[in-house]
Amino acid sequence: MSKKLQPEINIGVIGHVDHGKTSLTTKLTNTNTDKHSDEIKQGISIRLGYADTCFYKCKKCSGLQAYGVSKKCILCESDCEIIKKVSFVDAPGHETLMAVMLSGATLFNGAILVIAANEPCPQPRTQEHFSALKMHGIKNIVVAQNKIDLVTKEQAQENYKNIKKFLKDEGYEHVPVIPTSAHFDVNIDALVYALLETIDTPDYKTKEPLKMRVVRSFDVNKPGIDISKIKGGVLGGAILQGTLKKNQEVYLYPGIKKPIKLKVTSLSSGKDSFDEVRVGGLVAVGTDIDPVCMFGDRMAGQLICDEKSKPLVGSRMQIKYHKIERLLESNQKPLAISENVVLIIGTAANIGTITKIKGNEIDIVLKKEAVYYPKEKIAISRLINNRWRLSGYGEIK
Ligand code: GDP
Ligand code: ZN
């Protein structure tokens, strides 16, 4: 039996629509052999796609080709050793799903920014997704310059220069750019190597109070199930701080009208179950809560914490607003009193109305209660030409 490993990190796969995020994720995760149930896969695909994989290295061989995502070495066919288990979070690149990407960015330890070699760089979502990473202070990024099979060598080199310039202008010249072709399996080994070099496993602050962001919630019971066999609702998400144990009593914030106390009945990641989980990849938490409350991602955006976590809950907040200058459509008018904005607070989307503006200090009344921490950064989108566009971020006071 193989050893049970919880994924150590979440790697976001981001970038403009059609640049090859899903194709690359498939190559990196050998999705054909993926063990997630179809139900989980389907549920997640409308929100954040996600899949776990292991990065391997051959013990006997050296060089880039010794790295990969399969157990057998492609050079000598001997068994490779696992270096790290990771979760990939495939963020939708379509503009209408920007909020989904932004809520996922809260969970990323690092990211692959996929940029197609056959289009000018940056495309609108390349810039917007990149700005979201920057806002969260995520520096551990690898660019996959994908679809190199569609361009000539000269075009690929020209495009590579443009990507490098884009990164330099953003102050990210350290970011490696790996030319890839998801279609022809080109440089997947180099991409794995770059990810290992670039994205470290964070320190596990296991002594800190628990903080887990929920991205999904579901009812796992089949219709017509015998009432004695009904299982409680399941919460899926990532632990940002602390650990979570089986049978532990924790709280769900903001809950429904008030925080909900719940007992952890099971913990799993992929097909493995655990007695304890910690900071890292996505985990599913079984609870003793009525599954009806969890149905259809109803609890997405909530926070799981213990008595020591002390989050704030409220429907008003004061923020310091920072406009993101580089966004393509950000030659915006100043924010106005009574303007509605979309806020992503942790993994939760909310709508707020601006009630007061004093310099860059802004008061907002939220449509529904939010759970947050002081100094937390939240993404702010404005309605520009009838579309919600990321315009900046706020730091909660
Ligand atoms: P996403 O929207 O970024 O997730 O992009 P997809 O992975 O869905 O890919 C969009 C389209 O580009 C699909 O038709 C893919 O088959 C194609 N595609 C993805 N990667 C490559 C590649 O490396 N080379 C070529 N020629 N096509 C690719
Ligand atoms: Zn080998």
Side-chain angles (χ1 to χ4, degrees), residues 58-62 65-66 73-78 80:
C58 176
K59 281 180 258 187
K60 295 180 189 157
C61 299
S62 58
Q65 283 179 298
C73 173
I74 53 160
L75 298 174
C76 72
E77 293 193 358
S78 63
C80 298

Side-chain angles (χ1 to χ4, degrees), residues 16-23 146-147 149-150 180-183:
H16 198 71
V17 66
D18 269 353
H19 281 199
K21 293 177 293 299
T22 303
S23 307
N146 193 39
K147 304 199 185 186
D149 56 290
L150 294 181
T180 60
S181 168
H183 264 195

Side-chain angles (χ1 to χ4, degrees), residues 27-140:
K27 290 293 173 186
L28 285 164
T29 53
N30 282 318
T31 319
N32 312 336
T33 57
D34 191 72
K35 300 293 194 305
H36 287 295
S37 76
D38 284 336
E39 184 194 352
I40 291 178
K41 248 190 229 161
Q42 275 176 12
I44 283 182
S45 60
I46 14 168
R47 296 179 57 80
L48 290 163
Y50 105 78
D52 294 342
T53 198
C54 289
F55 291 158
Y56 293 91
K57 182 177 182 300
C58 176
K59 281 180 258 187
K60 295 180 189 157
C61 299
S62 58
L64 283 181
Q65 283 179 298
Y67 293 86
V69 289
S70 76
K71 283 186 192 121
K72 289 254 183 265
C73 173
I74 53 160
L75 298 174
C76 72
E77 293 193 358
S78 63
D79 283 338
C80 298
E81 63 181 338
I82 294 179
I83 306 186
K84 201 178 270 195
K85 187 168 180 181
V86 303
S87 287
F88 283 103
V89 183
D90 178 6
H94 197 272
E95 58 173 296
T96 56
L97 296 171
M98 192 62 201
V100 179
M101 183 275 159
L102 289 169
S103 64
T106 315
L107 311 177
F108 299 165
N109 300 103
I112 305 176
L113 173 59
V114 182
I115 303 181
N118 62 341
E119 287 180 23
C121 171
Q123 293 294 311
R125 238 50 60 207
T126 307
Q127 178 72 62
E128 218 168 8
H129 283 191
F130 182 84
S131 298
L133 292 182
K134 208 170 162 181
M135 168 194 122
H136 284 293
I138 299 166
K139 298 211 164 65
N140 312 331

